[in-house]
Amino acid sequence: MSTATTTHGPVERLRGIVPDAEIAAITPLIEEIEELKVRRNAVVLAHNYMTPDIFHGVSDLKGDSLALAKMAAETDADVIVMAGVHFMAETAKIVNEQKTVLIPDLEAGCSLADAVTGADVRLLRERYPGVPVVTYVNTSAEVKAESDICCTSSNAVQVVESLGAERVIFLPDQYLGRWVASQTDVDVILWEGSCMVHERFTAEELRAYRALNPGIQIIAHPECPQDVLAEADFVGSTSGMINWAKTERPRQLVMVTECSMSDNVAAEVPETEFIRPCNLCPYMKLITLQKIRDSLLEMKHEVHVEPEIAARARIAVERMLAVQI
Ligand code: 13P
Ligand code: SF4
């Protein structure tokens, strides 16, 4: 699920979301980014974990990993600035090779992408001959290239079931893999990877929120451990969680995920009180307005994927995009 930014100007969109004094301070930077976007024929794609100044301000399109991949494949712009992490920028390059893809900070990685290598996938294939490999998009292009199909948190169950196999290898997130296994009859072979942000939530803290706030609703991302997900009223991708909040509009809500999500959605659901356990993704938070401006000004940091790897990775990503959800 993606959201196109509204027709209001970027500064106007921040009113009521970001304090007025802060808006005044960042307005020159936002104007510079808008001018550069026109000059470069560029779009800024923003993940749901970006801070509100980026998410509501300078982004042209925003969403979860699946939406960002689709938007990158479809854009007419010459330049894509990925306000997200490196695997998202690499995926954009894989699906739209002729575009220039920029990531504002090269250090914006992901603990899941670091958890598995192409060599690991080759070894798994030797160990489980004939078993298809389903790979979360939170991986390097090299890992995608060794995989049969990719998935995201919003389509993982449908992707696994689309293969018609009795068993699949699921990489690299053990918790998302366990969540998928709980939703399907397919036998799921897991890997040991985890998200450094979501694995820190505990079932105990969620029970404490419930005890203190009767009637509170809890929604969680499937990268969380199983006992945490067992406490949740809804489990879904980042966009799935945002949509749930906008539809259900509960009196009190805990979003068990990266904490910028609550900041971004709170303005659109004013009647809901957000209780915010604040786990930040240190990689997502490397992306700032200043770095987006610099990336457009100096055309840095351009993301390259070796053509032979990109061609194989594209097959796995496009197979995923063809799965109906
Ligand atoms: P989504 O695809 O749900 O946005 O998740 C991406 C991610 O990195 C969550 O930590
Ligand atoms: Fe990776 Fe977790 Fe950060 Fe998402 S929140 S980018 S999975 S480290």
Side-chain angles (χ1 to χ4, degrees):
M1 157 72 196
S2 62
T3 318
T5 301
T6 66
T7 48
H8 293 298
V11 174
E12 277 316 302
R13 291 196 296 266
L14 294 177
R15 299 258 173 244
I17 300 173
V18 171
D20 283 348
E22 195 182 319
I23 294 177
I26 63 178
T27 293
L29 199 47
I30 289 175
E31 287 172 352
E32 206 179 336
I33 290 169
E34 293 304 306
E35 279 169 31
L36 284 163
K37 283 200 297 199
V38 175
R39 196 192 320 161
R40 304 286 193 201
N41 188 22
V43 281
V44 174
L45 302 192
H47 185 259
N48 293 323
Y49 291 162
M50 289 294 106
T51 47
D53 52 351
I54 297 171
F55 186 82
H56 290 289
V58 298
S59 78
D60 298 290
L61 295 161
K62 50 206 182 189
D64 60 11
S65 309
L66 181 62
L68 295 176
K70 286 182 177 161
M71 293 180 300
E74 287 163 9
T75 184
D76 292 331
D78 295 322
V79 177
I80 297 169
V81 180
M82 183 56 72
V85 291
H86 195 266
F87 76 80
M88 295 173 178
E90 247 184 11
T91 305
K93 185 70 185 174
I94 289 165
V95 295
N96 213 337
E97 221 181 352
Q98 68 277 22
K99 305 289 176 188
T100 300
V101 178
L102 304 175
I103 179 94
D105 190 318
L106 274 175
E107 299 298 313
C110 171
S111 65
L112 281 168
D114 291 341
V116 65
T117 65
D120 292 329
V121 187
R122 289 190 289 275
L123 281 174
L124 279 164
R125 284 200 187 275
E126 276 174 30
R127 188 160 165 200
Y128 299 102
V131 179
V133 176
V134 179
T135 294
Y136 197 25
V137 286
N138 297 39
T139 44
S140 66
E142 190 206 354
V143 168
K144 290 182 177 75
E146 297 292 340
S147 306
D148 292 289
I149 189 165
C150 288
C151 73
T152 74
S153 58
S154 62
N155 63 12
V157 175
Q158 290 92 336
V159 164
V160 165
E161 294 192 336
S162 75
L163 298 171
E166 282 176 19
R167 286 174 109 187
V168 300
I169 298 166
F170 190 93
L171 303 172
D173 187 358
Q174 59 182 302
Y175 298 120
L176 178 62
R178 287 200 174 97
W179 165 251
V180 171
S182 75
Q183 305 295 305
T184 175
D185 292 333
V186 179
D187 186 18
V188 181
I189 299 165
L190 299 168
W191 188 250
E192 286 283 294
S194 57
C195 162
M196 62 193 287
V197 176
H198 291 90
E199 71 176 351
R200 280 166 44 212
F201 293 105
T202 65
E204 206 178 1
E205 69 180 308
L206 299 185
R207 284 194 288 271
Y209 286 125
R210 278 210 202 276
L212 288 169
N213 306 282
I216 196 168
Q217 297 290 291
I218 296 176
I219 63 176
H221 195 277
E223 290 172 7
C224 294
Q226 255 180 322
D227 58 341
V228 169
L229 297 182
E231 297 294 329
D233 299 295
F234 171 78
V235 175
S237 78
T238 56
S239 289
M241 294 169 79
I242 291 174
N243 291 340
W244 190 96
K246 286 185 186 170
T247 308
E248 300 296 325
R249 299 179 173 260
R251 194 174 53 81
Q252 287 183 308
L253 179 63
V254 186
M255 282 184 152
V256 190
T257 191
E258 215 269 357
C259 49
S260 288
M261 280 261 298
S262 297
D263 298 338
N264 287 332
V265 79
E268 296 175 73
V269 192
E271 64 271 49
T272 297
E273 182 193 354
F274 285 82
I275 315 289
R276 303 172 196 213
C278 197
N279 284 358
L280 284 169
C281 173
Y283 299 116
M284 291 278 183
K285 297 293 93 108
L286 287 173
I287 308 300
T288 61
L289 279 182
Q290 283 81 358
K291 288 182 197 168
I292 291 173
R293 187 267 319 271
D294 293 347
S295 76
L296 279 163
L297 192 63
E298 298 169 38
M299 294 298 280
K300 66 178 190 186
H301 303 275
E302 191 172 345
V303 174
H304 296 283
V305 181
E306 213 257 292
E308 185 270 329
I309 289 179
R312 289 191 291 131
R314 189 172 311 117
I315 294 169
V317 175
E318 286 181 349
R319 282 185 82 186
M320 167 188 82
L321 294 176
V323 173
Q324 298 299 319
I325 53 168

